[in-house]
Amino acid sequence: MRLIFIAPPGAGKGTQSALITENYHLPQLSTGNLLRAEIKAGTPLGKSVADYINVGEFVPDEIMLQFLEDQITKDIYAKEGFILDGFPRTLYQAISLDRLFLKYNFKLDAVLILYVQKSELIKRLAARRTCLNCGASFHLEYKPPRVFNICDVCGSTLTQRKDDSEESIKTRIRNYNNLTMPIIEHYDSMNLIHRIDGVGTLDQVYARIDKVLKYLDKSGLSQ
Ligand code: AMP
């Protein structure tokens, strides 16, 4: 199965796609997590994208497209499919992704879109704490770590992402509304969209996503 997961920053996209990966054994391909790992490792790519990411701006399309082609052609994703979390983020990326799917003979099964209103997003992002080591994400109120400020998954200290500052949050939400939302029309015209209410507890939102995935499974769309 090949899925795209689109959601505004702070809607819980990373956490929910990790749950899908766990329950459906579908590899998660998160461009944000992968780019943060490049920054942490100090690679040339990491150095070229750090300034954009830290202020909440999009990494230029040309860099992202090359990066994505390198990723989706890796054995694991080519064989097992993926849930694409964080890509595409612009209409240009979406159209280029269609071409990549054609080039490699991949079929896109569905596009999931999570809806959460802006006031809720700001509240969620400000209280988010992230593990820079393994990418796990927590929330001080909705999903606190078992031990204060320590990652449940790998035991590293949690931090606030630089792009979870008030200024960067505003930039990211603005970019989502102006540059990412137009993608929805693109996938609507291909009849691939499933709209999901992203307000509620983690479990409630996941149950809605699960219903869609079960429907896709049953309709044989994932074969
Ligand atoms: P995320 O973890 O999905 O919120 O992504 C974190 C940041 O990585 C974004 O705010 C962008 O700066 C950058 N990024 C990730 N994916 C893309 C993409 N498809 N296009 C442009 N920038 C991206």
Side-chain angles (χ1 to χ4, degrees):
M1 179 148 53
R2 289 189 178 83
L3 299 177
I4 290 176
F5 199 8
I6 299 177
K13 171 171 59 72
T15 309
Q16 294 293 347
S17 50
L19 281 175
I20 297 172
T21 295
E22 204 179 305
N23 293 323
Y24 285 84
H25 308 292
L26 190 62
Q28 177 185 16
L29 208 171
S30 159
T31 48
N33 282 354
L34 291 167
L35 291 175
R36 278 185 290 278
E38 297 281 339
I39 295 175
K40 188 163 173 260
T43 63
L45 174 66
K47 287 186 180 130
S48 70
V49 301
D51 287 347
Y52 296 105
I53 294 187
N54 289 339
V55 296
E57 291 291 359
F58 285 174
V59 172
D61 283 340
E62 299 70 40
I63 299 181
M64 286 311 302
L65 278 165
Q66 187 54 55
F67 180 66
L68 194 88
E69 183 164 4
D70 293 345
Q71 295 298 325
I72 58 170
T73 48
K74 284 187 174 164
D75 265 3
I76 176 168
Y77 301 124
K79 275 193 205 130
E80 294 179 28
F82 48 75
I83 172 153
L84 197 46
D85 150 7
F87 193 102
R89 266 180 151 100
T90 63
L91 192 53
Y92 181 76
Q93 289 182 12
I95 292 167
S96 308
L97 186 64
D98 291 346
R99 288 203 197 105
L100 278 183
F101 271 62
L102 266 180
K103 178 173 168 188
Y104 294 105
N105 210 12
F106 292 159
K107 178 173 160 277
L108 178 59
D109 294 295
V111 177
L112 312 184
I113 302 189
L114 214 50
Y115 284 88
V116 177
Q117 71 272 26
K118 188 173 167 187
S119 54
E120 178 68 17
L121 294 175
I122 293 172
K123 225 167 69 187
R124 289 191 193 179
L125 285 168
R128 178 160 78 173
R129 295 295 178 270
T130 307
C131 176
L132 290 184
N133 186 47
C134 73
S137 173
F138 299 86
H139 187 279
L140 295 179
E141 196 183 327
Y142 304 130
K143 192 192 167 199
R146 282 193 294 269
V147 178
F148 177 72
N149 233 19
I150 299 294
C151 176
D152 287 357
V153 182
C154 72
S156 302
T157 304
L158 299 176
T159 48
Q160 186 166 31
R161 270 169 49 173
K162 280 203 181 110
D163 59 346
D164 281 346
S165 70
E166 209 182 313
E167 259 328 287
S168 297
I169 289 173
K170 279 191 205 147
T171 307
R172 289 162 65 205
I173 294 177
R174 192 182 57 236
N175 282 341
Y176 179 81
N177 289 334
N178 295 341
L179 301 172
T180 306
M181 289 294 275
I183 294 178
I184 296 173
E185 220 172 289
H186 175 73
Y187 289 121
D188 238 347
S189 69
M190 295 160 78
N191 245 337
L192 286 172
I193 298 230
H194 295 266
R195 294 177 164 80
I196 295 157
D197 177 5
V199 179
T201 64
L202 279 182
D203 291 345
Q204 285 167 338
V205 176
Y206 182 72
R208 292 173 200 142
I209 293 174
D210 194 49
K211 211 165 143 189
V212 171
L213 295 180
K214 292 226 163 77
Y215 163 79
L216 292 173
D217 247 353
K218 248 204 238 138
S219 343
L221 287 173
S222 60
Q223 302 312 306

